[in-house]
């Protein structure tokens, strides 16, 4: 007899015609369906808006993993129910390697999907950093121009006024980006909390991203305050 397989056909072909129900057939059918749903969902990880993390793959993983655990419970129940009727079947059912291996594969696939989402958030974070850093450089240059304007350089005064307004526009375009990044990181952490298995490393990455988003928001506010302080005063320049 072939070893135990995660396939409802295997159980249908090998189970005794007369035995107490174990639920193994239904559990295997449910797992096959949930695993298929997970494979479809995990393929979409890292996609969509750069500012959000979809919950679909995480829910699908949890459902597939729990369905596999139900298979394991039913497998053990089947062993008891088969008893002495079929020693060869009991021996096959006792080999749980397919379940152990499939759990590893599911976790590995989930870890890959999580990494895609983390990379997406990192890319979004880096884009925001570039925008804010560029504005900071412009602010530094504007302060040098302001010195000349304060000394009576009319041309410098006009350049300063236009530069401040442009910097303010750029800062406002950053807008709620840091807040959206923080919310996405918090969402990711919550999804990970619900998953079976150890994803503590990924949780740490999500926490780190949330902290980075808070820092970005502070930097953005500094930039906006600077430009607002001078924007109105130079409105006619």
């Amino acid at each position: 007899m072939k070893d135990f397989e995660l396939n409802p056909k295997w159980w249908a072909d090998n189970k005794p015609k007369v035995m107490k129900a174990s639920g193994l057939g239904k559990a295997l059918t449910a797992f096959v369906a949930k695993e298929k749903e997970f494979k479809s969902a995990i393929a979409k990880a890292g996609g969509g808006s750069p500012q959000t993390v979809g919950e679909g793959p995480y829910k699908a993983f949890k459902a597939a993993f729990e369905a596999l655990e139900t298979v394991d419970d039913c497998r053990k129940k089947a062993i008891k129910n088969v008893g002495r009727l079929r020693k060869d079947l009991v021996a096959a059912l006792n080999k749980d390697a397919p379940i152990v291996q499939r759990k590893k594969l599911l976790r590995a696939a989930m870890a890959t999907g999580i990494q895609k989402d983390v990379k997406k958030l990192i890319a979004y974070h880096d884009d925001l950093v570039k925008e804010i850093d560029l504005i900071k450089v412009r602010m530094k240059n504007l302060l040098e121009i302001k010195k000349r304007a304060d000394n009576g350089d009319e041309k410098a005064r006009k350049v300063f006024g236009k530069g401040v307004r442009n910097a303010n526009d750029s800062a406002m375009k950053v807008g709620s980006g840091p807040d959206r990044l923080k919310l996405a990181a918090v969402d990711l952490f919550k999804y990970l909390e619900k998953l079976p298995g150890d994803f503590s490393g990924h949780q740490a990455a999500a926490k780190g991203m949330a902290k980075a988003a808070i820092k970005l928001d502070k930097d953005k506010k500094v930039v906006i305050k600077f430009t607002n302080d001078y924007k109105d005063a130079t409105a006619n320049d």
Side-chain angles (χ1 to χ4, degrees), residues 36-213:
K36 185 177 180 180
E37 290 173 8
F38 169 63
K39 287 180 178 179
S40 176
I42 201 64
K44 299 173 184 176
S49 168
Q51 309 156 4
T52 60
V53 175
E55 190 175 6
Y58 300 86
K59 282 186 173 181
F61 169 78
K62 188 172 185 290
F65 199 90
E66 289 175 348
L68 184 55
E69 290 186 322
T70 298
V71 168
D72 201 24
D73 291 340
C74 291
R75 177 188 66 85
K76 294 172 183 176
K77 187 175 180 181
I79 291 171
K80 291 181 180 179
N81 291 352
V82 172
R84 297 179 181 178
L85 294 175
R86 292 268 306 280
K87 289 184 179 180
D88 60 336
L89 180 55
V90 169
L93 286 168
N94 269 317
K95 296 178 180 179
D96 65 348
I99 292 176
V100 173
Q101 183 62 23
R102 195 62 63 88
K103 283 183 176 181
K104 289 181 180 178
L105 291 174
L106 287 173
R107 288 195 186 103
M110 187 70 256
T112 299
I114 296 168
Q115 195 59 34
K116 288 180 180 179
D117 278 334
V118 170
K119 285 182 178 179
K120 179 176 75 168
L121 294 183
I122 289 173
Y124 183 53
H125 166 270
D126 291 349
D127 285 343
L128 291 173
V129 168
K130 287 178 183 177
E131 289 182 43
I132 292 174
D133 283 350
L134 182 61
I135 299 170
K136 285 181 178 179
V137 170
R138 290 166 68 182
M139 284 166 53
K140 184 177 180 181
N141 292 336
L142 284 169
L143 286 175
E144 291 300 316
I145 294 172
K146 184 177 181 299
K147 290 178 182 178
R148 300 203 304 271
D150 290 343
N151 288 328
D153 187 326
E154 183 64 17
K155 184 178 179 181
R157 186 179 65 81
K158 290 182 178 181
V159 170
F160 177 73
K162 184 177 180 180
V164 165
R165 291 191 293 278
N166 288 339
N168 184 264
D169 289 343
S170 297
M172 295 306 292
K173 285 179 182 177
V174 172
S176 59
D179 285 334
R180 290 195 295 269
L181 177 62
K182 179 186 173 183
L183 288 174
V186 170
D187 283 344
L188 176 59
F189 185 86
K190 289 178 179 178
Y191 302 158
L192 293 170
E193 276 189 316
K194 299 174 184 177
L195 299 186
D198 181 13
F199 293 97
S200 56
H202 298 93
Q203 285 178 303
K207 276 187 177 180
M209 188 56 61
K211 289 180 179 178

Side-chain angles (χ1 to χ4, degrees), residues 5-36:
E5 297 177 7
L6 290 170
N7 185 336
K9 187 178 183 302
W10 180 92
W11 180 238
D13 290 344
N14 292 289
K15 73 176 182 179
K17 292 181 180 179
V18 179
M19 67 168 283
K20 189 177 179 181
S22 65
L24 182 55
K26 289 182 179 179
L28 285 166
T29 298
F31 168 67
V32 170
K34 293 299 180 183
E35 184 181 41
K36 185 177 180 180

